[in-house]
Amino acid sequence: MTSVEPAASLDGERLTDLLMRLLLDADLRARLADEGAEAVAADPGELECLASVDLAELDTTARRLRSQVWRPGSGGSLATTFPRSLRLLQDTGATESDLLTGFLGSPHFARFRLIPYTAPGLSAEEAFASYLLEGAEARALRDTVTHELMIALFTALTCEQPLSFVIEAEGIVPTDRGHAAVRRYAASSVATWGATGGRPSAEAQGADEAHYAYFTTPAGLAHGVVSGRVAEAFEAGPSERRETARRALAHRGLW
């Protein structure tokens, strides 16, 4: 995109907002190309900026931004973080392009810190998961999105200290060895993930639901189906039952 000198009536914050709207809103870019700057400018300051935009470079930059959001780092991407979730959504007819366009246009995307060092924000993974969960009605999809998000967050808690983003997911508690959390999923959901943490699957035990725990330790990430007694370690109020469960987990190097 060409360099733009902001007009006196358009400060840096408004200029940034205008450019981000252009990058994220394909309809706005199309109107700018078809109808000209005067048709989309809200005031003389925007008009001066919009009249200076190179439309070809704008389209190229917008495509690069989409790629950056979908594949935010060399070590991973939204596509590789949520593979099972995306397959479930694709079975309903959604495409990666549809999902990315919807995410970019949602308030959830605004909670992701796109520009480093500007302000604390969610990881791209948690912002995207929030977007997916908002419209998810099927239990299997909700469980799978949550599980894949927890794996991403706990992988970061294991490998990245201090974190470069904030975490808003509830129920992640500090332990002597790192962090831990437990979630309750449908047994049928867990069965599709192919990992039970060394225990018989909940379905094999005849249960409709399963406790699934996540732990960070100096040795790495541990996760899988756990018993109800292990889940007692995550009870909110202090109790002998909770402390017994935590002592047992500490003995196993997990708390």
Side-chain angles (χ1 to χ4, degrees), residues 148-168:
E148 292 183 324
L149 170 63
M150 295 297 286
I151 292 295
L153 293 178
F154 270 75
T155 297
L157 286 168
T158 301
C159 305
E160 183 182 343
Q161 292 295 331
L163 291 177
S164 60
F165 53 86
V166 298
I167 293 176
E168 292 187 356

Side-chain angles (χ1 to χ4, degrees), residues 13 32-33 79 82 121 137 146 160 189 197 213 252:
E13 183 176 347
L32 177 62
F82 298 96
E137 297 182 359
T146 301
E160 183 182 343
S189 298
R252 294 164 55 187

Side-chain angles (χ1 to χ4, degrees), residues 76-156:
S77 69
L78 296 181
T80 57
T81 299
F82 298 96
R84 297 183 179 92
S85 301
L86 293 178
R87 283 197 294 272
L88 290 173
L89 287 161
Q90 287 164 356
D91 287 344
T92 68
T95 67
E96 288 188 358
S97 179
D98 293 336
L99 294 169
L100 180 55
T101 298
F103 176 44
L104 292 177
S106 75
H108 302 282
F109 177 72
R111 300 168 67 202
F112 160 51
R113 189 187 63 179
L114 177 63
I115 303 174
Y117 310 114
T118 54
L122 298 182
S123 64
E125 292 81 4
E126 186 166 4
F128 185 60
S130 298
Y131 164 69
L132 295 181
L133 289 170
E134 182 179 59
E137 297 182 359
R139 176 70 182 273
L141 178 59
R142 296 189 63 83
D143 286 349
T144 302
V145 170
T146 301
H147 170 63
E148 292 183 324
L149 170 63
M150 295 297 286
I151 292 295
L153 293 178
F154 270 75
T155 297

Side-chain angles (χ1 to χ4, degrees), residues 38-248:
E38 292 186 357
V40 298
D43 54 50
E46 286 196 2
L47 177 59
E48 180 176 341
C49 294
L50 291 169
S52 305
V53 170
D54 184 309
L55 295 176
E57 289 192 28
L58 176 62
D59 284 338
T60 298
T61 304
R63 287 195 298 271
R64 288 174 179 168
L65 175 62
R66 288 173 66 89
S67 178
Q68 177 187 351
V69 171
W70 195 250
R71 297 174 174 81
S74 58
S77 69
L78 296 181
T80 57
T81 299
F82 298 96
R84 297 183 179 92
S85 301
L86 293 178
R87 283 197 294 272
L88 290 173
L89 287 161
Q90 287 164 356
D91 287 344
T92 68
T95 67
E96 288 188 358
S97 179
D98 293 336
L99 294 169
L100 180 55
T101 298
F103 176 44
L104 292 177
S106 75
H108 302 282
F109 177 72
R111 300 168 67 202
F112 160 51
R113 189 187 63 179
L114 177 63
I115 303 174
Y117 310 114
T118 54
L122 298 182
S123 64
E125 292 81 4
E126 186 166 4
F128 185 60
S130 298
Y131 164 69
L132 295 181
L133 289 170
E134 182 179 59
E137 297 182 359
R139 176 70 182 273
L141 178 59
R142 296 189 63 83
D143 286 349
T144 302
V145 170
T146 301
H147 170 63
E148 292 183 324
L149 170 63
M150 295 297 286
I151 292 295
L153 293 178
F154 270 75
T155 297
L157 286 168
T158 301
C159 305
E160 183 182 343
Q161 292 295 331
L163 291 177
S164 60
F165 53 86
V166 298
I167 293 176
E168 292 187 356
E170 297 180 353
I172 298 177
V173 299
T175 69
D176 291 340
R177 290 178 171 83
H179 295 82
V182 71
R183 294 289 187 270
R184 194 173 181 89
Y185 300 125
S188 56
S189 298
V190 176
T192 68
W193 304 338
T196 63
R199 293 178 51 81
S201 71
E203 282 194 324
Q205 299 177 62
D208 293 328
E209 294 189 323
H211 294 288
Y212 199 105
Y214 308 82
F215 302 94
T216 64
T217 74
L221 168 63
H223 61 95
V225 175
V226 297
S227 68
R229 288 187 178 181
V230 170
E232 290 171 354
F234 297 89
E235 292 181 351
S239 67
E240 181 58 33
R241 185 172 60 184
R242 187 186 75 172
E243 296 311 311
T244 297
R246 292 186 175 185
R247 285 194 297 268

